[in-house]
Amino acid sequence: MSKNLGVLISGRGSNFENIQKKIEAGALEAQICCVISNKKTAGGLEIAAHYRIPSYTLNVSEFESFEKYEQEIVRILKEHKVDWVILAGYLRMVKKNLLQAFPNKILNIHPSLLPAFKGLNAQEQALAAGVKVAGCTVHFVNEDLDSGKIVGQKALQVLEDDTVESLSSRILTLEHQLYPEAIQAVIKNTL
Ligand code: GRF
């Protein structure tokens, strides 16, 4: 049966839009039921409006605590009967409330070949380390940053004249291939 996805974002939303397009093209048996952003300026909110997907902005600083903020996220996701939570450029840690509400049902994409270069500015970290191969990873989310079980990875060669921008852009192209494939594999349990 087709699965309900809830997408969490903080910014541009290109992975979110790409997943929506793959769904519309029939490449992914799912529907995005809601989008939640922790930033009201996130470009992904306009994408949600374009596709008429319900969206919500929750500012963590307007909540009594991080726990209450996550409880509200869980409430919205449950209201939309979400089966899988898809982090797509969501720049907050995921903590107990969300993890316990969706055990082993939260996925993230990260622009490095994990376990290398966790955290922010992964592409810059890769260039600074002088690696010759870079890429992206889809993984299950646990309480530690960018550390859950790996679902899939795609790699590319770092070029001599790569800048953070050029490398990030080529990795993003790979992300747009990997994330829908990985979600489809996980929700169909064909891993
Ligand atoms: C991507 O590079 C993703 O790997 C990272 O954040 C970025 C989000 O980009 N987690 P977008 O908002 O999906 O365009």
Side-chain angles (χ1 to χ4, degrees), residues 9 11-16 88-91 108-111 123 136 172 175-176:
I9 61 168
R12 183 175 55 184
S14 76
N15 276 286
F16 152 48
Y90 176 63
L91 299 176
N108 183 41
I109 187 154
H110 184 74
Q123 304 92 333
C136 54
L172 191 66
E175 291 185 37
H176 292 172

Side-chain angles (χ1 to χ4, degrees), residues 102-132:
F102 292 92
N104 293 315
K105 291 278 191 296
I106 308 178
L107 297 175
N108 183 41
I109 187 154
H110 184 74
S112 80
L113 294 173
L114 290 173
F117 315 127
K118 296 174 182 178
L120 292 176
N121 306 318
Q123 304 92 333
E124 198 177 334
Q125 293 183 52
L127 280 182
V131 295
K132 299 293 179 201

Side-chain angles (χ1 to χ4, degrees), residues 4 7 22 35 40 48 52-53 58 62 67 73 81 94 100 123 131 136 154-155 190:
N4 290 339
V7 178
K22 290 289 194 296
V35 173
K40 73 169 188 293
R52 300 184 196 288
I53 297 169
L58 303 182
E62 287 167 14
E67 287 69 31
I73 293 181
K81 303 200 172 354
V94 171
Q100 287 181 353
Q123 304 92 333
V131 295
C136 54
K154 282 193 190 287
T190 56

Side-chain angles (χ1 to χ4, degrees), residues 23-158:
I23 289 171
E24 290 182 2
L28 181 49
E29 291 161 68
Q31 47 282 325
I32 299 177
C33 298
C34 60
V35 173
I36 303 175
S37 172
N38 68 319
K39 293 240 183 279
K40 73 169 188 293
T41 51
L45 291 167
E46 282 164 33
I47 297 170
H50 173 80
Y51 289 98
R52 300 184 196 288
I53 297 169
S55 69
Y56 303 82
T57 304
L58 303 182
N59 184 341
V60 65
S61 68
E62 287 167 14
F63 288 81
E64 227 172 84
S65 62
F66 193 83
E67 287 69 31
K68 294 262 191 258
Y69 160 77
E70 275 202 338
Q71 276 168 15
E72 181 59 9
I73 293 181
V74 169
R75 191 194 65 73
I76 294 167
L77 295 172
K78 295 282 183 194
E79 186 179 286
H80 287 278
K81 303 200 172 354
V82 162
D83 301 302
W84 286 89
V85 182
I86 306 299
L87 307 189
Y90 176 63
L91 299 176
R92 299 295 310 208
M93 287 294 289
V94 171
K95 295 195 181 161
K96 204 179 63 198
N97 280 289
L98 192 46
L99 286 167
Q100 287 181 353
F102 292 92
N104 293 315
K105 291 278 191 296
I106 308 178
L107 297 175
N108 183 41
I109 187 154
H110 184 74
S112 80
L113 294 173
L114 290 173
F117 315 127
K118 296 174 182 178
L120 292 176
N121 306 318
Q123 304 92 333
E124 198 177 334
Q125 293 183 52
L127 280 182
V131 295
K132 299 293 179 201
V133 177
C136 54
T137 304
V138 172
H139 64 93
F140 284 92
V141 172
N142 63 15
E143 57 285 350
D144 298 317
L145 181 68
D146 300 327
S147 295
K149 183 169 180 278
I150 291 173
V151 174
Q153 295 183 306
K154 282 193 190 287
L156 51 66
Q157 249 182 317
V158 178

